[in-house]
């Protein structure tokens, strides 16, 4: 390896580039090929594991913890590709967002996870496809139809008053159909 090749750059703005002399964010790891970020744990203790932690505080002062609020974004992971416009541009393709799902509490922070992906019409703003709320309800969205279920495998239509059972539906007007099973008895 050439000893005069720059491997890491710290800009005067505090941006750190590894394999990149003009980083565009706080930390940018770049490689012509496949860059890999590895977090390793070397331990004989079963509870020791590599961790990736996102911390959000309601304070703008670093290291000052202030309670976060309902509907506040707690963290996000984004995936980008490059479009084929006349001037190719980096475009968001998918994301996983975590938001606070209830008012602050003395011993917990309720949250929901929102999974979004893009199709040919999203123009860099991925559409929510699924969410998991703070009580484990899974809301899957498909072409405007919303199906909801929880970890006990109960799935109900969002527009239904039922709390137990299974309902699979299609929002297709006269062609709409459902498969359902409710409570202790079932109707398929």
């Amino acid at each position: 390896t050439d000893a005069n090749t720059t491997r890491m750059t710290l800009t005067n703005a505090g941006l750190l580039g590894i394999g990149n002399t003009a980083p565009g964010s706080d930390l940018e790891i770049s490689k012509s090929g496949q860059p890999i970020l590895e977090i390793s744990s070397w331990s004989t203790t079963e509870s020791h594991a590599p961790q990736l932690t996102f911390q959000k505080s309601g304070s703008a002062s670093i290291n000052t913890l202030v309670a976060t609020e309902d509907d506040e974004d707690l963290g996000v992971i984004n995936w980008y590709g490059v479009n084929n416009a006349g001037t190719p541009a980096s475009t968001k393709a998918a994301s996983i967002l975590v938001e606070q799902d209830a008012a602050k509490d003395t011993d917990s922070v309720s949250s929901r996870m929102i999974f979004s992906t893009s199709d040919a019409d999203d123009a860099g703003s991925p559409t929510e496809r699924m969410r998991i709320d703070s009580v484990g309800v899974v809301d899957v969205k498909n072409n405007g139809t919303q199906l909801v279920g929880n970890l006990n495998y109960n799935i109900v239509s969002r527009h239904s008053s039922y709390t137990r059972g299974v309902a699979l539906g299609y929002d297709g007007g006269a062609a709409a159909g459902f498969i359902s099973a409710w409570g202790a008895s079932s109707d398929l």
Side-chain angles (χ1 to χ4, degrees), residues 44-55:
T44 58
T45 303
E46 290 182 9
S47 62
H48 291 177
Q51 295 185 25
L52 180 61
T53 302
F54 294 80
Q55 173 69 59

Side-chain angles (χ1 to χ4, degrees), residues 18-164:
I18 300 175
N20 189 324
T21 58
S25 58
D26 294 334
L27 171 63
E28 184 170 346
I29 301 171
S30 303
K31 180 179 181 180
S32 178
Q34 181 175 336
I36 298 172
L37 173 62
E38 180 176 330
I39 303 173
S40 300
S41 174
W42 308 90
S43 174
T44 58
T45 303
E46 290 182 9
S47 62
H48 291 177
Q51 295 185 25
L52 180 61
T53 302
F54 294 80
Q55 173 69 59
K56 175 69 182 276
S57 172
S59 172
S61 298
I62 294 174
N63 294 326
T64 301
L65 296 176
V66 173
T68 49
E69 301 295 333
D70 188 21
D71 296 326
E72 190 164 341
D73 292 354
L74 301 178
V76 65
I77 301 173
N78 293 310
W79 288 265
Y80 285 79
V82 177
N83 65 31
N84 67 354
T87 304
S90 179
T91 305
K92 188 188 300 185
S95 67
I96 300 173
L97 169 66
V98 176
E99 295 177 330
Q100 190 159 323
D101 199 20
K104 51 190 165 236
D105 191 316
T106 58
D107 66 353
S108 63
V109 176
S110 296
S111 64
R112 60 182 163 262
M113 295 184 78
I114 300 169
F115 299 81
S116 301
T117 61
S118 288
D119 59 24
D121 299 323
D122 284 337
S125 297
T127 301
E128 180 179 336
R129 307 297 182 184
M130 182 178 78
R131 82 171 43 200
I132 304 171
D133 73 13
S134 59
V135 295
V137 172
V138 177
D139 182 353
V140 179
K141 300 167 189 280
N142 184 12
N143 297 327
T145 301
Q146 298 180 351
L147 305 176
V148 180
N150 67 31
L151 298 178
N152 294 321
Y153 302 102
N154 297 325
I155 300 175
V156 298
S157 169
R158 178 175 284 280
H159 305 291
S160 172
S161 61
Y162 295 105
T163 58
R164 296 202 186 336

Side-chain angles (χ1 to χ4, degrees), residues 5-11 15 17-24 28 30:
T5 300
T6 301
R7 303 287 180 204
M8 185 168 30
T9 300
L10 179 61
T11 71
L15 306 179
I18 300 175
N20 189 324
T21 58
E28 184 170 346
S30 303

